[in-house]
């Protein structure tokens, strides 16, 4: 988490998907309260609406819900909407905070009938707590062990029916028995530019900002498909306009504000461009090993792999092969350079390896 929040400077990246305290404060005021107000994720919204409506018609608690997907796409917001739609209290905790079975037992024993329990990053929960959660989800019961050794006694504790909403950015790390106990699983996808424009329009109205259609498009196109990043960039544009005395923000003003924060037209920041520039300028497009690439840009290996690479790979700017990282044609073009004939990605063997590696990563993520 610390690496995701910042690079080697120790400061959070403006285009990082993880949220900080300021983001939490802003999101609290901008969060939609109903599924109808929630922008994007049409398939998940439709399915979730059906699950909630059916539970209300049956007069029973809703099935447990698992929400997966990259950070910043609205998993916490959907959990709040679920509780509000069911008109029940919401209890929020996280996997890293539950390190012992007793921690989970304390939370579960204090739940009220029908309450929604939201566990963020549920895949990071400890194994003993995880095993206790199996019984709680299925039978609404936990066994509390009192004493130690031969004198230990197991006391069954009945729980009121509740709805667990789990959120994870790494669904593949969840054990099968836990995944199988969720009645509904929804995977959140990255947003398109038009969808992000709708998010920004709603946020701008709540923040009392006047922006042109082109300005919304400018900010949305640099937001990496993530509403949290879009709202963060909108806040920076708002600050720029306030300092420069701009009442009506157009595309030029929005672009100037984001250029000042070094977020380019494709949403790349300084770290992303440094990785591409090193790969192209110092290693002729690769292939080059990850550790060598990290040394070239003056970053830790894990920072390059977990912070910069995912977006660069998704945008088709960088490729990962068994022989190392390579710059794709789009990387040369984005840096304003002509694609040379010797570019590594033109090697047939590397193209085959790249395709095979992409298929393996896709299978692993699914």
């Amino acid at each position: 988490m610390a690496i995701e929040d910042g690079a080697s400077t120790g400061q959070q990246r403006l285009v990082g998907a993880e949220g900080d305290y300021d983001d939490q404060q802003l999101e609290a005021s901008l969060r939609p309260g109903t599924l109808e107000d929630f922008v994007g994720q049409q398939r998940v919204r439709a399915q979730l609406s059906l699950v909630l409506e059916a539970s209300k018609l049956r007069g029973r608690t809703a099935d447990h819900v698992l929400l997966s997907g990259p950070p910043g796409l609205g998993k916490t917001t959907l959990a709040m909407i679920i509780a509000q739609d069911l008109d029940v209290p919401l209890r929020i905790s996280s996997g890293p905070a539950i390190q012992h079975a007793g921690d989970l037992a304390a939370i579960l024993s204090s739940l009220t009938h029908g309450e929604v329990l939201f566990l963020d990053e549920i895949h990071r929960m400890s194994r003993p707590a995880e095993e206790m959660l199996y019984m709680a989800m299925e039978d609404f019961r936990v066994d509390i062990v009192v004493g130690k050794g031969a004198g230990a006694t197991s006391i069954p504790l009945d729980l009121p029916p509740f709805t667990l909403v789990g959120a994870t950015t790494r669904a593949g790390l969840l054990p099968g028995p836990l995944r199988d106990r969720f009645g509904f699983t929804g995977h959140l996808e990255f947003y398109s530019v038009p969808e992000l424009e709708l998010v920004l329009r709603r946020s701008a109205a709540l923040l009392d900002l006047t922006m042109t259609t082109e300005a919304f498009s400018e900010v949305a196109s640099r937001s990496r498909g993530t509403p949290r990043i879009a709202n963060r960039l909108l806040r920076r544009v708002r600050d720029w306009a306030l300092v420069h005395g701009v009442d009506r923000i157009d595309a030029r003003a929005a672009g100037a504000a984001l250029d000042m924060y070094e977020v380019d037209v494709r949403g790349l920041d300084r770290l992303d461009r440094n990785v591409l520039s090193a790969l192209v300028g110092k290693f002729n497009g690769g292939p080059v090993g990850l550790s060598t690439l990290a040394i070239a840009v003056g970053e830790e290996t894990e920072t390059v792999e977990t912070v910069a690479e995912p977006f660069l790979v998704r945008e088709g700017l960088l490729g990962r092969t068994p022989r190392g990282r390579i710059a794709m044609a789009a990387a040369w073009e984005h840096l304003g350079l002509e694609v040379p004939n010797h570019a590594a990605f033109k090697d047939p063997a590397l193209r085959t390896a790249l395709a095979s590696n992409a298929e393996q990563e896709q299978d692993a993520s699914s």
Side-chain angles (χ1 to χ4, degrees):
M1 177 97 39
I3 293 177
E4 184 71 25
D5 284 348
S8 61
T9 60
Q11 298 178 347
Q12 186 196 42
R13 301 174 72 210
L14 188 61
V15 291
E18 296 292 345
D20 59 5
Y21 177 77
D22 289 338
D23 288 327
Q24 294 171 6
Q25 294 296 105
L26 178 66
E27 288 173 2
S29 63
L30 300 181
R31 289 187 195 276
T34 65
L35 286 174
E36 290 73 18
D37 293 336
F38 191 94
V39 177
Q41 313 296 343
Q42 286 86 352
R43 177 178 53 82
V44 173
R45 282 195 295 122
Q47 295 171 346
L48 188 56
S49 177
L50 185 64
V51 170
L52 298 179
E53 187 63 27
S55 71
K56 288 186 287 187
L57 292 175
R58 291 196 314 268
R60 301 181 59 183
T61 56
D63 288 341
H64 302 301
V65 176
L66 177 64
L67 301 173
S68 65
L73 299 186
K75 295 185 290 295
T76 303
T77 299
L78 283 176
M80 294 181 174
I81 289 176
I82 290 173
Q84 184 165 325
D85 189 89
L86 297 174
D87 195 22
V88 296
L90 174 68
R91 186 78 57 90
I92 299 178
S93 187
S94 65
I98 303 176
Q99 293 303 312
H100 306 283
D103 299 334
L104 180 62
I107 294 175
L108 294 175
S109 61
S110 64
L111 294 176
T112 59
H113 187 280
E115 189 168 356
V116 172
L117 172 62
F118 175 59
L119 291 182
D120 197 11
E121 295 299 300
I122 191 173
H123 65 271
R124 297 177 60 188
M125 194 165 47
S126 68
R127 181 55 60 86
E130 198 174 83
E131 293 175 350
M132 175 179 284
L133 190 58
Y134 295 161
M135 184 178 296
M137 294 174 66
E138 198 163 29
D139 301 327
F140 298 111
R141 181 175 68 90
V142 294
D143 291 333
I144 306 298
V145 178
V146 179
K148 296 182 179 181
T153 304
S154 178
I155 301 176
L157 175 64
D158 291 329
L159 303 173
F162 67 94
T163 297
L164 173 66
V165 179
T168 177
T169 56
R170 305 183 67 181
L173 295 183
L174 285 178
L178 181 57
R179 284 199 306 268
D180 293 342
R181 283 170 168 77
F182 286 98
F184 170 75
T185 300
H187 180 73
L188 276 61
E189 306 285 350
F190 285 104
Y191 283 58
S192 65
V193 171
E195 288 174 335
L196 287 176
E197 289 181 23
L198 294 176
V199 172
L200 289 169
R201 287 181 181 276
R202 182 179 181 278
S203 299
L206 293 173
L207 295 174
D208 197 24
L209 292 179
T210 303
M211 298 177 62
T212 65
T213 299
E214 293 76 14
F216 285 121
S217 180
E218 184 72 22
V219 177
S221 64
R222 304 190 189 203
S223 299
R224 302 167 78 117
T226 306
R228 177 179 292 157
I229 296 176
N231 283 327
R232 187 184 300 148
L233 296 184
L234 181 66
R235 193 162 75 242
R236 298 285 75 80
V237 170
R238 177 194 61 182
D239 294 344
W240 186 93
L242 179 64
V243 171
H244 288 80
V246 177
D247 296 326
R248 186 171 184 269
I249 303 172
D250 56 14
R252 182 177 180 181
L258 297 180
D259 287 342
M260 191 185 73
Y261 286 101
E262 299 182 293
V263 179
D264 67 22
V265 293
R266 293 190 66 164
L268 275 65
D269 66 356
R270 181 189 295 180
L271 174 61
D272 301 318
R273 289 191 298 274
N274 285 348
V275 170
L276 291 183
S277 297
L279 189 54
V280 168
K282 297 180 179 180
F283 304 105
N284 294 320
V288 60
L290 175 61
S291 59
T292 302
L293 181 60
I295 292 173
V297 297
E299 297 286 351
E300 296 293 333
T301 300
E302 192 174 358
T303 301
V304 174
E305 185 177 23
T306 62
V307 177
E309 277 193 356
F311 181 69
L312 295 178
V313 171
R314 181 161 63 90
E315 289 293 294
L317 298 168
L318 180 146
R320 296 195 290 194
T321 76
R323 292 171 56 182
R325 274 54 176 175
I326 63 173
M328 306 301 290
W332 301 81
E333 295 168 356
H334 183 71
L335 295 174
L337 303 173
E338 182 179 353
V339 183
N341 292 327
H342 68 272
F345 69 90
K346 293 187 177 182
D347 183 342
L350 272 177
R351 289 204 306 269
T352 301
L354 182 63
S356 175
N357 189 58
E359 291 177 358
Q360 292 175 3
E361 289 184 354
Q362 184 175 3
D363 293 341
S365 63
S366 59

